[in-house]
């Protein structure tokens, strides 16, 4: 339930609509009805039994059509109630009270009650008999107990203060509430999907299409009181190659798509400027694309190997050749908009391109270990990510390293990260929202600390960030996390991966609205609410 997509592309727009884009408030009046065919970057072959799912952006986008989360981020990235009416802590953040909206029903007609929410939370944390999470169980380890107070109220007691628990109830869109029948379904939970969301499952043919039909009993309305969703139907189609997605959009085979591949981003920008497409683009609250290093084994258990690779890679050339000239160099895991984001000037240990220094470090590594500095680089089968791997291989070998490229489909690549079956891997992760959402990605011993590094200083900072309520203090804490990464090079940050949603001229409604009004959460790295998409009738 935690895994983000493997390495993708990006752009450098600072937020809001892309050039000539279809930003919120410039679209006219939404009209109900119609159908959208939405091109996704990948299939979620393991399905949507959310407690056990490992969803990247495509899977999260589909999940958002079927399920609601208890909270959702506002325009500033702060958690606000969504399926819940309120989520409130006590004075020391050791107990949280979740009050549910009255009258909400699941797609099978069963009511949303405190008992069902308790069972969902217990299922995510490994305390429900029919569900067996392997990742979320670690996310919710700080929970002592979940108790029903009354039919619409749940109390969650912590083992320690947890100031951002309300953001964890969103978990980048992965913590949807499933109906009791789906929770108890030990045979078809992954494909018998029953949520409270704006759409109901119609039909799913893996690797071809996922069709969702309007939930006519949906509880939510837009800011003016109009019933959501606007569309009668949305069909999701996995199209792995971004260029093929763009071609399908331009030909009318699909009428919406997402991408972060730079050449496709540029093409959609151009088509938007000429009036042939609508689009919305942002790198705010985005992901960071990077090379994740497995530091539990050679060669990257040695800092000289990590430094050698960092100094060997020229970002400006990467941007010109691979990035279509539109990428913004990443200085750490926190993209613009997130607290913890820092400029290079604030990072004295940030490694700039220096091939002579890289060659020297390769020689020192080999003299110290008696082994050549060689490694595998794992990436997806998409052409763009293969090109990234070839670029990295070329420049690493120019300074004396040896590199073998391994290509896997996206699901297999995620599994390779989980099992540690890699040395260096192209990755994309850490989307926006409260930075405590990243806690388990970097905590020593966590099963989603895929790089397998152990850093007592980062552990200390993460614990402080989790229990510190003062905003300026928290900002300083996560800036220090950024500095520590720059010093130790556990990961080699490459660029901030902005996303763009391209749409036919008659399709609107991205990114939608925020939980408490028209202004939406601007990030696209974990998808967007499809309930607000509409087609001119």
């Amino acid at each position: 339930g935690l895994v983000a997509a493997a390495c993708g592309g990006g752009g450098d727009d600072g937020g809001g609509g892309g050039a000539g884009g279809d930003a919120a408030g410039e679209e006219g009046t939404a009209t109900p009805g119609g159908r959208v065919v939405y091109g996704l970057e990948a299939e979620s072959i393991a399905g949507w039994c959310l407690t056990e799912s490992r969803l990247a952006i495509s899977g999260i986008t589909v999940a958002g059509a079927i399920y609601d989360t208890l909270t959702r981020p506002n325009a500033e990235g702060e958690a606000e109630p969504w399926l819940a009416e309120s989520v409130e802590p006590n004075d020391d953040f050791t107990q949280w009270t979740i009050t549910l909206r009255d009258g909400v029903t699941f797609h099978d007609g069963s009511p949303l009650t405190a008992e069902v929410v308790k069972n969902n939370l217990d299922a995510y944390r490994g305390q429900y008999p029919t569900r067996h999470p392997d990742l979320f169980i670690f996310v919710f380890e700080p929970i002592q107990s979940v108790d029903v107070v009354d039919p619409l109220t749940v109390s969650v007691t912590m083992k320690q203060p947890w100031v951002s628990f309300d953001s964890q109830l969103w978990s980048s869109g992965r913590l949807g509430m499933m109906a009791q029948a789906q929770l108890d379904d030990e045979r078809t939970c992954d494909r018998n999907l029953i949520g409270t969301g704006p759409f109901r499952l119609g039909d799913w043919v893996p690797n071809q299409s996922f069709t969702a039909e309007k939930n006519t009993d949906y509880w939510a309305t837009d800011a003016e009181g109009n019933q959501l969703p606007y569309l009668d139907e949305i069909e999701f189609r996995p199209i792995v190659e971004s260029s093929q997605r763009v071609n399908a959009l331009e030909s009318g085979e699909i009428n919406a798509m997402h991408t972060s591949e730079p050449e496709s981003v540029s093409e959609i920008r151009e088509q938007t400027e000429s009036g042939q497409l609508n689009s919305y683009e942002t790198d705010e609250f985005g992901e960071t694309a990077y090379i994740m290093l497995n530091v539990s084994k050679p060669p990257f258990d040695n800092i000289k190997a990590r430094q050698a690779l960092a100094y060997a890679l020229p970002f400006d050339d990467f941007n010109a050749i691979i990035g279509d000239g539109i990428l913004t160099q990443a200085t750490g895991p926190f993209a613009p908009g997130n607290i913890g984001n820092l400029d290079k000037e604030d990072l004295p240990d940030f490694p700039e391109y220096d091939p002579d220094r890289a060659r020297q470090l390769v020689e020192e590594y080999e003299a110290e270990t008696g082994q050549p500095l060689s490694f595998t680089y794992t990436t997806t089968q998409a052409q763009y990510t293969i090109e990234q791997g070839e670029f990295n291989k070329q420049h690493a070998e120019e300074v004396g390293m040896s590199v073998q490229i391994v290509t896997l489909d996206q699901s297999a690549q995620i599994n390779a990260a989980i099992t540690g079956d890699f040395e260096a891997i192209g990755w994309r992760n850490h989307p926006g929202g409260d930075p405590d959402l990243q806690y388990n990605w970097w905590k020593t011993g966590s099963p989603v600390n895929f790089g397998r590094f152990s850093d007592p200083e980062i552990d200390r900072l993460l614990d402080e960030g989790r229990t510190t309520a003062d905003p300026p203090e928290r900002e300083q804490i996560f800036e220090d996390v950024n500095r520590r990464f720059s010093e130790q090079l556990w990961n080699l940050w490459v660029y901030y991966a902005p996303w763009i949603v391209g749409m036919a001229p008659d399709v609107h409604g991205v990114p939608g609205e925020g939980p408490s009004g028209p202004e939406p959460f601007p990030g696209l790295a974990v998808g967007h609410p499809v309930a607000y998409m509409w087609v001119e009738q």
Side-chain angles (χ1 to χ4, degrees):
L2 288 176
V3 181
C7 199
D12 63 359
D13 188 76
D22 199 12
E26 301 174 1
E27 306 173 314
T29 301
T31 52
R35 181 174 185 266
V36 160
V37 182
Y38 196 118
L40 300 173
E41 72 165 16
E43 177 63 280
S44 301
I45 198 67
W48 289 268
C49 187
L50 297 182
T51 50
E52 287 107 90
S53 296
R54 297 168 179 175
L55 301 179
I57 182 173
S58 298
I60 294 170
T61 300
V62 174
I66 303 296
Y67 303 97
D68 291 312
T69 51
L70 292 166
T71 63
R72 216 172 76 179
N74 63 16
E76 288 73 43
E78 300 163 343
E80 289 191 357
W82 182 238
L83 192 56
E85 188 173 82
S86 66
V87 180
E88 298 292 340
N90 63 357
D91 289 343
D92 65 0
F93 297 92
T94 58
Q95 189 170 48
W96 288 75
T97 301
I98 303 168
T99 304
L100 303 175
R101 296 180 184 273
D102 193 9
V104 177
T105 58
F106 288 94
H107 298 157
D108 62 357
S110 63
L112 176 74
T113 65
E115 185 68 30
V116 176
V117 170
K118 168 186 162 55
N119 291 342
N120 269 269
L121 295 178
D122 282 346
Y124 280 110
R125 67 191 193 95
Q127 299 294 315
Y128 193 78
T130 57
R131 302 271 56 91
H132 309 287
D134 55 359
L135 298 176
F136 265 115
I137 188 172
F138 296 94
V139 174
F140 288 124
E141 192 278 333
I143 295 177
Q144 180 69 48
S145 64
V146 181
D147 300 294
V148 172
V149 177
D150 61 42
L152 292 177
T153 308
V154 177
S155 176
V156 183
T157 303
M158 306 298 174
K159 302 172 186 175
Q160 64 180 60
W162 197 354
V163 302
S164 63
F165 175 65
D166 50 352
S167 289
Q168 301 289 344
L169 294 174
W170 172 58
S171 287
S172 300
R174 297 179 176 97
L175 204 86
M177 293 293 104
M178 298 186 287
Q180 190 65 51
Q182 188 178 359
L183 278 176
D184 292 337
D185 185 347
E186 298 188 76
R187 188 173 60 86
T188 62
C189 177
D190 59 334
R191 54 193 183 276
N192 182 26
L193 314 184
I194 315 171
T196 63
F199 294 91
R200 305 169 184 262
L201 171 63
D203 184 54
W204 178 34
V205 181
N207 294 313
Q208 293 186 35
S209 66
F210 182 110
T211 302
E213 301 165 352
K214 180 173 185 169
N215 176 11
T216 56
D217 297 319
Y218 190 48
W219 61 270
T221 60
D222 65 18
E224 298 191 358
N226 299 306
Q227 182 66 44
L228 294 173
Y230 301 128
L231 296 173
D232 289 334
E233 184 176 278
I234 186 166
E235 178 188 338
F236 298 102
R237 291 185 190 172
I239 305 173
V240 172
E241 289 295 339
S242 184
S243 60
Q244 293 179 14
R245 249 175 289 145
V246 174
N247 290 339
L249 179 63
E250 293 174 345
S251 69
E253 179 185 345
I254 62 176
N255 53 356
M257 61 163 283
H258 64 195
T259 185
S260 61
E261 189 274 311
E263 186 174 350
S264 296
V265 170
S266 294
E267 184 165 354
I268 291 173
R269 285 181 181 179
E270 292 171 4
Q271 298 282 359
T272 301
E273 290 170 357
S274 67
Q276 297 178 67
L277 294 176
N278 288 332
S279 67
Y280 179 85
E281 178 187 351
T282 183
D283 67 359
E284 249 191 301
F285 296 103
E287 297 166 302
T288 300
Y290 59 100
I291 301 172
M292 184 165 62
L293 305 175
N294 187 341
V295 304
S296 68
K297 59 185 178 181
F300 296 116
D301 57 346
N302 188 312
I303 192 172
K304 289 182 179 177
R306 303 196 296 271
Q307 291 171 329
L309 184 56
Y311 285 118
L313 303 178
F315 175 76
D316 288 344
D317 290 351
F318 179 92
N319 190 21
I321 297 169
I322 304 295
D324 211 40
I326 68 171
L327 299 178
T328 300
Q329 186 174 17
T331 58
F334 304 117
N338 291 310
I339 66 171
N341 176 264
L342 290 171
D343 295 329
K344 281 192 288 187
E345 293 74 19
D346 300 314
L347 295 164
D349 297 302
F350 188 82
E352 296 282 10
Y353 175 56
D354 186 342
D356 292 334
R357 177 68 175 137
R359 289 187 189 93
Q360 178 185 347
L361 286 160
V362 171
E363 293 171 1
E364 291 178 6
Y365 172 86
E366 293 181 346
E368 181 180 310
T369 65
Q371 298 294 325
L373 207 174
S374 63
F375 63 93
T376 58
Y377 179 90
T378 303
T379 188
T380 68
Q381 295 172 338
Q383 184 60 36
Y384 170 60
T385 62
I386 293 173
E387 290 171 359
Q388 290 189 29
E390 294 287 353
F391 179 94
N392 295 333
K393 172 183 169 71
Q394 173 190 337
H395 288 276
E397 292 187 339
E398 284 177 358
V399 299
M401 305 180 212
S402 176
V403 184
Q404 178 185 355
I405 295 177
V406 176
T407 61
L408 302 170
D409 68 40
Q410 191 178 85
S411 296
Q413 190 202 34
I414 289 172
N415 287 334
I418 291 170
T419 60
D421 187 20
F422 73 96
E423 291 168 355
I425 193 167
W427 206 248
R428 191 187 68 217
N429 200 356
H430 316 304
D434 193 284
D436 182 61
L437 291 168
Q438 312 308 325
Y439 182 97
N440 288 90
W441 295 109
W442 303 323
K443 189 70 172 175
T444 297
S446 167
V448 293
N449 179 344
F450 296 147
R452 291 157 172 79
F453 62 84
S454 176
D455 190 323
E457 178 65 9
I458 288 182
D459 289 343
R460 180 186 67 81
L461 292 167
L462 292 174
D463 287 335
E464 288 185 2
R466 172 156 286 188
T467 58
T468 300
D470 180 69
E473 289 183 28
R474 295 190 87 230
E475 183 170 7
Q476 180 64 52
I477 287 166
F478 290 108
E479 287 177 357
D480 287 345
V481 169
N482 199 344
R483 292 186 180 95
R484 182 67 175 176
F485 270 115
S486 183
E487 175 187 330
Q488 294 297 314
L489 299 177
W490 301 123
N491 297 315
L492 305 186
W493 314 117
V494 183
Y495 60 92
Y496 298 122
W499 282 88
I500 192 168
V501 175
M503 296 163 277
D506 62 345
V507 178
H508 310 276
V510 177
E513 292 180 358
S516 59
E519 192 173 1
F521 177 60
L524 291 176
V526 288
H528 59 90
V530 296
Y532 300 93
M533 295 188 76
W534 58 279
V535 180
E536 295 174 17
Q537 300 297 304

